[in-house]
């Protein structure tokens, strides 16, 4: 099993602060190996991998959702290249974590590797104009704090609203189960 021993938080935090730049741009700062050393171990980034290597793994998988804006997703998931992802588009960023096993000798090294290339799209999203055209108050009825989204967006009812049982909105159509591309 994986060792449950971890670095003392203050020791690891000091090492992390010393190793990382105050601000980071993907193309400029994350293309070289990042290494963090502390008294009981080491963390570093490793070489990228191809999707086939990931698919061949027979190990535990952890899913983490991160929400970001288009510029962040363009930089970190599309290698800084256009076109930018759409609002509400879901992308997949895969990592392999090579963690020390309990029997490994100290100091242990943890390596984080990233899938090479652009992040694949898991679920698409409609163009803004299409999504905005049929957005209805009922689509954002739960969005009331700290303000009513329906009032701010000046939304009325719509014949295409997903909550009326009629035709689904562009966002709902883009999120149908058959749009997911999980292996």
């Amino acid at each position: 099993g994986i060792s449950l021993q971890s670095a003392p938080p203050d020791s690891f935090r000091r090492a992390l602060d010393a190793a990382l730049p105050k601000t980071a741009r993907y193309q400029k700062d994350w293309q070289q190996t990042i290494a963090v050393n502390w008294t009981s171990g080491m963390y570093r980034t490793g070489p990228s991998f191809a999707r086939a290597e990931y698919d061949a793994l027979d190990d535990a998988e952890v899913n983490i959702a991160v929400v970001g804006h288009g510029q962040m997703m363009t930089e970190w998931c599309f290698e800084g290249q256009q076109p930018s992802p759409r609002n509400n588009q879901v992308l997949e960023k895969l990592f392999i974590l090579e963690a020390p096993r309990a029997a490994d000798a100290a100091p242990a090294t943890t390596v984080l590797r990233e899938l090479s290339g652009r992040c694949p799209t898991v679920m698409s999203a409609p163009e803004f104009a299409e999504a905005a055209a049929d957005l209805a108050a009922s689509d954002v009825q739960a969005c009331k704090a700290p303000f009513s989204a329906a009032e701010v967006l000046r939304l009325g009812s719509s014949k295409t609203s997903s909550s009326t049982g009629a035709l689904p909105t562009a966002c709902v159509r883009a999120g149908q189960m058959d749009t997911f591309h999980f292996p």
Side-chain angles (χ1 to χ4, degrees):
I2 294 175
S3 171
L4 296 179
Q5 287 186 325
S6 61
D10 56 338
S11 171
F12 179 74
R13 180 59 189 246
R14 280 193 305 275
L16 187 64
D17 286 343
L20 296 178
K22 296 295 178 206
T23 61
R25 303 295 289 189
Y26 181 76
Q27 295 297 326
K28 177 179 172 242
D29 299 306
W30 295 99
Q31 299 305 306
Q32 71 249 359
T33 298
I34 306 281
V36 178
N37 294 292
W38 64 93
T39 54
S40 59
M42 176 183 176
Y43 160 86
R44 68 176 172 81
T45 55
S48 63
F49 60 89
R51 178 64 191 237
E53 180 180 350
Y54 183 87
D55 290 340
L57 291 174
D58 183 25
D59 215 336
E61 188 170 301
V62 176
N63 295 297
I64 301 171
V66 177
V67 178
H69 55 81
Q71 177 61 35
M72 184 275 302
M73 290 170 45
T74 298
E75 189 168 329
W76 292 88
C77 292
F78 283 13
E79 301 176 321
Q81 304 299 310
Q82 296 295 326
S84 295
R86 297 176 181 169
N87 287 338
N88 300 316
Q89 186 168 345
V90 179
L91 306 175
E92 179 181 57
K93 190 156 188 75
L94 297 176
F95 296 92
I96 295 175
L97 182 67
E98 297 172 354
R101 302 291 173 174
D104 291 347
T109 299
T110 300
V111 179
L112 183 68
R113 298 173 55 211
E114 184 177 343
L115 178 70
S116 60
R118 293 170 61 122
C119 298
T121 297
V122 173
M123 186 179 85
S124 187
E127 291 286 347
F128 176 77
E130 180 187 3
D134 65 358
L135 188 63
S138 57
D139 294 321
V140 293
Q141 64 187 352
C143 305
K144 295 181 179 175
F147 55 83
S148 169
E151 289 176 25
V152 170
L153 297 172
R154 297 186 179 121
L155 299 175
S157 60
S158 170
K159 292 180 183 175
T160 61
S161 173
S162 58
S163 63
T164 64
L167 297 173
T169 63
C171 285
V172 172
R173 287 192 305 275
Q176 299 298 316
M177 288 303 291
D178 60 356
T179 63
F180 290 91
H181 304 286
F182 295 113

